[in-house]
Amino acid sequence: MINLEKEIREQPSVLAGICEKNCETAQKIVDAAKAAGIKNIYFAARGTSDHACIYAQYLFGIFCGIPCTLGTPSVFTKYGAHVDLSGHLVIGVSQSGKAEDVIEVLKSAKKDGAMTVAITNVEDSPIVDVADYSLFCGAGPEVSIAATKTFTSQMYLLAALVAKWCGCDKLKAELKALPENAQKFLDTMPAEIEKLAEKYQNIPGATILGRGMSYPIALEGALKMLETNKIKMKGYPISDFHHGPIAQIHTGDLVFVLAPAGKVEDDCQEIIRKLHGVEADIVVLTDDADAVFEGCTKVVLPYTGSEFTSVFMQVMFFQMLACKMTIVRGIDPDVAGVINKVTITK
C-alpha cells in the first residue's frame, strides 16, 4: 500500500486522539479569549492550511457570531507593513510549524498585545515558540507529499475550538462521532471510488463546486487531485460560479458538485440545472440518500449529522479518489517533481 493511502486510512485513529491531547489547552484558549473580550479572529496560513481556516471562518461566524479574517502574510513580510491586530485572537496554522511568513504574523501580533495560537503537527517546531498557546494535530509523521491526515486534524481542532466557544452540544456530539464515521467511510466507499477513478483516469481536468461549508472542500479537493495526478482542477463557490466561470464548461466536461443535506441543497440543484444545459458530466456528492439529482452520477457519503461535519467525508472522498487515480494512472504520488512536502514562504 502506498504512503498516501496508508495516511488516508490513519485518519479515524488520528481524529480519535485529538480531544484528549488538546482538550485542556482548548478550554484555556476559549476562557482567555472570552475574558479578554475577543471579538475578531485573524488567521495566518498557507496552502492546505488556508482551506482549513476558511472552514473555520464559516464555523466561527455561524456558531459564535465572530468575524474572521483570512490573513495576508506578505503584507507583513514582503511589504513590511504593520497591521494593528490588538484585540484580536490570531491563529497561525502550519502543519510543519516552519512557515516563516505565518510566524512573522504571530510575532507582529504579539507586539500589538494580541492573543496568539499555533496549530501544528510538530510539537517542537518554531511556531510553538512564538505562540501563547499551541494545539497539536497528533497525526504522526506524514510522508506523502499530499496533506491528508494533517488537514482533517487541523479542521477537527478548529471545529472543536468552536464547539467549546459556543457550547453547542450537537456539534460536540458530531465531532465525537467523526472517527467512527471516518472508519465507516473507509469500510464502505473505496470500491465505489476506485470505479470512478477507472472511469475518469484520462480526463484532462475537472471542476469542483461547493457552497458554504463545502466551499473550502472544493478548494482542497481540487488541490489534492492536482498535486497527486497533475490534472488541472479548480474549486469554486457555487455562488460565484454563476457569475462568469460557468462559461468554461463545455459538453462532456466533468464537474463535481458537493451537495450535503442542509442549507445549500437548493443552490446545488440550481447549478446542476445550468450544468445540464451545457451537457456537463456531473458527479454529485451527497449524504442525503433520498435526494434526487436527475441525470447525475450520485455518490452517497456516510451521514455525520449536519453539513458542518459532512465536509470531513467530502474531503476524504477526494483524498481517496486522488489516491486511486494515481494507481490506475501509474503515478507515484510521493514523487511530485517541483512540489516539496514542506514549503517555506517568506
Side-chain angles (χ1 to χ4, degrees):
M1 186 182 292
I2 58 176
N3 287 323
L4 178 58
E5 185 162 356
K6 287 179 183 176
E7 290 166 359
I8 291 170
R9 290 184 176 277
E10 289 173 11
Q11 288 174 107
S13 61
V14 170
L15 297 178
I18 287 177
C19 283
E20 183 179 355
K21 188 176 187 65
N22 294 278
C23 184
E24 185 177 340
T25 303
Q27 190 62 59
K28 288 180 180 178
I29 291 168
V30 171
D31 291 343
K34 289 185 175 181
I38 298 286
K39 297 189 181 299
N40 294 277
I41 297 174
Y42 189 94
F43 290 107
R46 289 293 187 195
T48 288
S49 300
D50 252 345
H51 302 158
C53 292
I54 296 171
Y55 169 64
Q57 281 185 296
Y58 280 97
L59 286 181
F60 272 109
I62 293 167
F63 284 95
C64 308
I66 296 176
C68 301
T69 301
L70 189 62
T72 48
S74 60
V75 168
F76 298 79
T77 57
K78 291 299 179 182
Y79 295 94
H82 173 250
V83 177
D84 185 1
L85 294 173
S86 57
H88 283 65
L89 169 60
V90 180
I91 302 178
V93 186
S94 169
Q95 292 154 4
S96 69
K98 297 178 181 179
E100 292 185 12
D101 46 0
V102 174
I103 291 171
E104 285 303 312
V105 173
L106 293 183
K107 287 180 178 178
S108 179
K110 287 196 76 171
K111 290 179 181 178
D112 292 334
M115 180 180 166
T116 57
V117 172
I119 293 179
T120 183
N121 191 42
V122 183
E123 295 192 26
D124 60 352
S125 57
I127 198 171
V128 174
D129 296 331
V130 175
D132 297 320
Y133 301 91
S134 296
L135 298 171
F136 299 106
C137 299
E142 190 173 60
V143 178
S144 183
I145 287 173
T148 54
K149 58 182 180 175
T150 53
F151 175 68
T152 51
S153 56
Q154 286 177 342
M155 289 174 60
Y156 195 101
L157 281 167
L158 289 162
L161 198 61
V162 170
K164 282 191 177 294
W165 198 303
C166 69
C168 178
D169 290 335
K170 186 175 187 301
L171 180 58
K172 290 177 182 178
E174 288 182 23
L175 291 172
K176 185 177 181 180
L178 260 180
E180 180 180 346
N181 280 312
Q183 188 59 56
K184 182 178 180 181
F185 174 95
L186 294 171
D187 290 341
T188 60
M189 298 301 302
E192 182 176 358
I193 293 171
E194 188 169 351
K195 290 178 182 178
L196 289 173
E198 291 171 352
K199 178 180 180 180
Y200 293 117
Q201 62 180 291
N202 294 318
I203 57 168
T207 300
I208 306 176
L209 304 179
R211 187 162 193 198
M213 303 306 307
S214 295
Y215 165 53
I217 308 309
L219 299 178
E220 178 65 13
L223 178 59
K224 290 291 90 79
M225 295 291 290
L226 183 156
E227 64 187 353
T228 55
N229 285 274
K230 317 326 189 262
I231 295 173
K232 292 182 179 179
M233 301 277 286
K234 189 163 184 181
Y236 293 91
I238 289 173
S239 51
D240 286 354
F241 202 67
H242 291 282
H243 298 279
I246 194 171
Q248 69 187 286
I249 305 299
H250 303 289
T251 300
D253 284 353
L254 177 59
V255 182
F256 293 91
V257 178
L258 309 183
K263 300 290 187 181
V264 301
E265 282 185 286
D266 55 342
D267 299 273
C268 296
Q269 292 285 8
E270 182 182 1
I271 198 66
I272 286 169
R273 285 192 290 271
K274 284 192 175 183
L275 290 169
H276 279 316
V278 294
E279 299 182 339
D281 185 353
I282 308 167
V283 176
V284 179
L285 305 189
T286 184
D287 53 5
D288 186 348
D290 297 326
V292 176
F293 300 96
E294 294 184 2
C296 302
T297 299
K298 177 180 171 182
V299 178
V300 181
L301 302 172
Y303 182 66
T304 62
S306 77
E307 59 197 297
F308 306 115
T309 50
S310 67
V311 291
F312 285 81
M313 303 297 102
Q314 293 171 6
V315 77
M316 287 183 69
F317 170 88
F318 286 110
Q319 292 172 355
M320 189 61 76
L321 179 63
C323 177
K324 295 300 183 183
M325 285 192 75
T326 65
I327 294 171
V328 298
R329 288 161 59 88
I331 295 172
D332 184 348
D334 300 325
V335 179
V338 299
I339 303 175
N340 297 315
K341 177 59 181 174
V342 178
T343 301
I344 306 298
T345 49
K346 300 179 180 180

